[in-house]
Amino acid sequence: MTIRNVRDHGQRYRPRMECLKKVEAVMLEMQDPKTGVKSQPQRLVITTIPHVITGEDIVTWLANRYSIEKEEACSLGTMLVAFGYIYPIQDHKRLVIKPDASLYRFQTPYFWPAQQWPVEDTDYAIYLAKRNIRKKGMLEMHEQEQYNSLHKWMNHKWDFIVMQAKEQYRAGKERKKPDRVVFDCQERAYWVVHRPPPGTISAMDYGLERMVDPNTEEKQTSDYFRRIIIFTQQSIMRPRVKSSVSIGALVKYSITYYKHDPFLTPCLPSNSWVTDDVTFWMLNMTNVETPTKMRVERWTFSFGELLSDPRGRADFRLFLKKEFSGENLAFWEACEDLKWGTAATMNEKAQQIYKTFLARGAPRWINIDGKTMEVTVKSLKHPHRYVLDAAQTHIFMLMKKDSYGRYLKSPVFKDTQKRAIDPNPHRFSVTQLEANARKRRPSLSPIIVRQQEEEERARMATSGPVDITQLCRFTAPVPHLAVYSGPLSSPPFPICLPHTPACPSPISVTIDSTPSDRRWEDGGGAGEREAVDQEGRGMAVSSRSRVALSLGRLLRRGCNPSTVFASLSPKCPAPAGTSSRVQPISTDQTIQAPPRSIANFFQIKVDIPPECRIYPIDSEDEEESGGASKGIGGEGETEGQVKEIICPWECLTPHQGAG
Amino acid sequence: MGKDECKTMLDALNKVTACYRHLVIALGSTSDSQNLREELKKTRKKAQELAVANRTKLTALLKDKTTSKDDRAEYERLWVLFTSSMELLEVDMKRSLELGQDFPLKVPTRHFIQTGMTGSTTTVAARAMSVQNMKYDADSNIDTTDLKELQAEITQVGQMMEEMQMKVQVAPWAVEAKQEAGAELKSTLSIGNSSVGVISICEEEPKDEMDEGGDDNGMITCVAGFMFIVIVVIAGVLGYFVVGG
C-alpha cells in the first residue's frame, strides 16, 4: 500500500502544464483522415506497421494549420515530441522533431502526459523489470542504476513488481507481432519522456504541484465577479508609469544583463545543467578566492547586485574595513538578519543591534539623520521584524551614494578585477558528455553546508569586525571597547575633551529620550558596576583575550557608557546630518598616526601596510575617529609602534596597553 | 491450505490486472472498438470478483490472532501484494473512465489516435478471463452505459480500499520481499519461445534492439549452429570417404 497523504481527489496539478489540454486538441485534429497529417505504413522485414509519419509532414501540417513560419512549426513540433505526444522511432533518445524524412508515431492516449495522473515509480519499476526480462539482464547504465535504487527503497513491493512484470510480459505476448513492436516502442517512449536518460532534455520539469487544476473552468458565482471588480478597482488606483519610461527600463535591463543570462549567452566554461560538468558551479561558489570576470562585472551594475552576491559583499566589506567605515555594512547585515531571522530571537537581536549601532556612544555607531533615529529608537520599544527598515534604507542609500562609488575606484576592487578569471569554453564530445553524466554525484548535504556557514560566522565574530568608528572622547573610557581593548581608566578624559569641536549632535533629540536607553540597560546595570571595577584591572587584560572576548560581552557592556557618561558628554562630535565632508581642523599628522595605531590596536592579527592609510577625508567616521584621535593626540603614538597594542587613550605609557 | 489458496487467487488477480492494463492502453487508439469496451467490462468484473474473494480471505487470515509469526509475515506479504494490485487496478479503472469519456465510439467527428496498433485485443482478454474464445454480446451503446457502471464501480473499489486500510493493521514497509533483484530473469526461459518461427528483426531500432525478437533470435542461432555442425560433420565424413576411397 502506497502511503498517500492526500487522497487523490484530483488534487495534484502541475502549474505549467495548462498547455496539455491544448496540445491534446491539436493531436486530435491531426488524426483527421481528410485534414490531418498523412500517415504511411512502415515496412519492416516481415511486418508492416501502419501509421507512421515523417517529421516533414508534421512540420508542414503545423505551419499550414496555424499559419506560422517553418521555424516556429519546428519548435512547436519539438514541444509535441518533448511532451511525449509524438515519439521518434529512429533516434528515440533525442526528443526533437527533425523536419526531414525521419519517422514518428503518435502516442496512445494512455501514455499521454495528462494533468492529473502522476508518473508512478511502481510503474517504472515494473517497466524496468519487464525490460530486464526482454534484454536478459542487459539494461542500460542509467536503467541499471534506477533499477537498483528502486529495488532498495521499494523493497517491500518487490514481489508484486516481479509478479506483475512477468504477467504483463506474458499478456503482451498474446498480441500479434506488429502490435507488440508498437507497444514496446510506445512504452519505451513514455519512459524516455518521464525518466529521461542522461543527455535527454526533458520537458517534464514542472516545479511544485498545486492544489488547483488550472484547466478547470471556474464557476461564475458572485464571488468570482466580486474578485474581478476588486481587481479592476485596484488597477485603476495603481500609479502609472509612462510606457516610454518603463520600456526604456526594460530595454536597459535587457541590454545590461544580456550577456549574463545563460539562456541567451552560453555561460563559461559550460552550462553545468547541460554538460554535467560542475566547473561553472565550482568557479562561482560563495567563498571562492578569485571570482570570475562575469561575476565581477555584475557587481558594477548596481549596488544591490554587489550586496546580494556574497563574494561581492565580502570584497566590499574588505574595502570598508580599510576605510574604517565597516559599521554601515555591518548594520545593514544585522538588519537583514533581523528581518529574515527567527521570531524567537528577534527581541534579542534588536536589542543587540541597538546597543552596537544606534545607542549614543555605541561601539559601531552609524550615522543616520535625527528624524530616522528618533523614529527608530521610539519604535524599538516594541520591536518587530521591520522596525529597523527606515534606518536600513537610509544606510543602504548612504553606502550606495557614497562608498559604492569609491569602492569601484578603489585598489581593492581593481585588484579583484585584475585577478578575476575568465575560463575557456569547454568543448565536449558525445562520449565525454556521457562520461560526465556517469560521473554525476550529489553535492554536499545542506546540513553540512549550513554547519560550515555557522562555523564561518562564529569565526568572523570572534576575530572581531575590527573597525572602530566611535572613538569619541566620551566613549573613550568605555568597556564596550573592551572587546578590542581593555577597559580604560579615566585619565584620558580631560585630555580628550577640550580638543573636540562641539558640534550639534544629531542625536540630541534622542538624548532626551533616555527612558528608552534605560530600558535597554536593565540587563546591563550590573555589568555597569562590573565595568567600573574592571577598569583598573583592564590593563592586565592581554591583547589576546581582548580579541577573544565574545561579542556578547561587548554588547552587554556596550550600553554602559550611555548612562554613565551621558551627563559628561557634550554634544556628540558626529556632524549633524551633514555629509561630513568637513575636514577635521587638526593637522593631518595627528589624524594619520593614531588611526594607524588604532588600526593596529584593534586589528591585532591583521597587518595593515602603512600605505593603506586610506583615510577618506569625506568619510563620516573620520570625524569621530578624527575627533577622538585628536583628543588622544599623538602622545605616545609613534610610527614605530605598529606592532604593539596600545590603548590610544592610554597615551602615556605604551607598554601598559600592551600588557 | 489457506496460504496456497491465497496464492493462487492472488496470481489470478495479478494476471487479470496485467491484462486489464494492456486493454486500457489500447483505449483511444486505432485498436479501440466495441469489442474492446466489452472486453474491458468483462475483465473488470472478473477483477472485482477476484478482489472481493481475496479480500475476504486475507482479512480473515490476518484477523486471526493465533497465527504463528512466520505465517503472519507471509500473510502480510500477501496482503502487500493484494493492495498493490488493487491500487494498480483502481488507477487503471479511473483512467479507463476518463479515456472512455474522451473517446466515444459512435461520434464520427472524433477520431481515434493512429498509433499503429491495429490488431484486436481478443487474446489478451481471453487470457484474462481464462477462456479459449471470447464471446461478444453487448449492445451498441456499451460505451456510454458502461461508463456509468464504471463510475459506480470505481467508488466501490475506493471504499473497499479504505475499509481494508481501517480493518487490517499491516505496515507495508515492514514486509520483506522474497524475490531479490533480477528475480524476473529466472523463470523467463519458458517465456521466450512463443514465436519461434518468426524471424523479426525490427528495423526501427537498429542498434540495441535486435531484441524485439531477441528471444526468438536465441533459438534460431541454436538451430542454425546445430545445422551447421551437422553439415560440417557430413562433409567431413564424405571427404573422408573421398580421400579414403
Side-chain angles (χ1 to χ4, degrees), chain B residues 16 26 37 51 55 64 71 81 83 110 112-114 122 128-129 143 152 168 183 186 200 207 210 214 216 224 245:
Chain B
V16 174
R37 305 291 169 115
R55 183 198 60 164
D64 190 2
D71 275 354
L81 281 174
T83 46
R110 192 92 176 170
F112 289 131
I113 309 292
Q114 297 168 350
T122 332
M129 307 295 294
D143 47 343
V168 177
K186 297 218 175 73
S200 56
K207 265 186 304 171
M210 299 289 276
D216 310 333

Side-chain angles (χ1 to χ4, degrees), chain B residues 127-145:
Chain B
R127 187 188 165 85
M129 307 295 294
S130 315
V131 294
Q132 279 299 95
N133 294 310
M134 291 285 292
K135 284 192 268 292
Y136 297 100
D137 48 10
D139 32 317
S140 56
N141 59 346
I142 182 173
D143 47 343
T144 35
T145 46

Side-chain angles (χ1 to χ4, degrees), chain A residues 515-528:
Chain A
S516 59
D517 281 4
R518 296 245 171 246
R519 197 172 304 199
W520 291 112
E521 263 109 64
D522 288 344
E528 207 179 315

Side-chain angles (χ1 to χ4, degrees), chain B residues 16-83:
Chain B
V16 174
T17 314
C19 296
Y20 191 65
R21 174 158 281 206
H22 271 276
L23 294 173
V24 178
I25 288 176
L27 260 179
S29 67
T30 33
S31 53
D32 199 354
S33 64
Q34 171 108 342
N35 289 347
L36 176 68
R37 305 291 169 115
E38 202 180 327
E39 286 159 15
L40 276 169
K41 177 170 168 183
K42 292 200 168 137
T43 321
R44 200 177 66 229
K45 295 256 190 289
K46 173 109 193 231
Q48 283 211 288
E49 289 166 31
L50 281 170
V52 171
N54 263 307
R55 183 198 60 164
T56 30
K57 191 94 185 119
L58 271 173
T59 1
L61 283 171
L62 280 166
K63 280 206 156 153
D64 190 2
K65 303 274 187 226
T66 61
T67 44
S68 65
K69 231 171 135 235
D70 295 334
D71 275 354
R72 176 114 193 143
E74 180 62 19
Y75 293 146
E76 288 189 357
R77 194 182 73 91
L78 295 175
W79 181 257
V80 169
L81 281 174
F82 174 56
T83 46

Side-chain angles (χ1 to χ4, degrees), chain A residues 339-354:
Chain A
K339 265 205 301 206
W340 299 106
T342 60
T345 54
M346 238 163 44
N347 272 342
E348 190 191 308
K349 273 189 203 158
Q351 207 169 352
Q352 279 185 1
I353 291 176
Y354 175 79

Side-chain angles (χ1 to χ4, degrees), chain B residues 77-95:
Chain B
R77 194 182 73 91
L78 295 175
W79 181 257
V80 169
L81 281 174
F82 174 56
T83 46
S84 318
S85 278
M86 286 313 294
E87 280 172 8
L88 270 195
L89 202 60
E90 192 185 356
V91 168
D92 279 341
M93 279 166 66
K94 287 186 184 160
R95 292 193 84 153

Side-chain angles (χ1 to χ4, degrees), chain A residues 40-59:
Chain A
Q40 316 141 20
Q42 181 195 16
R43 296 196 158 283
L44 300 179
V45 177
I46 306 271
T47 49
T48 310
I49 306 180
H51 305 146
V52 83
I53 44 185
T54 55
E56 207 173 342
D57 283 343
I58 299 174
V59 171

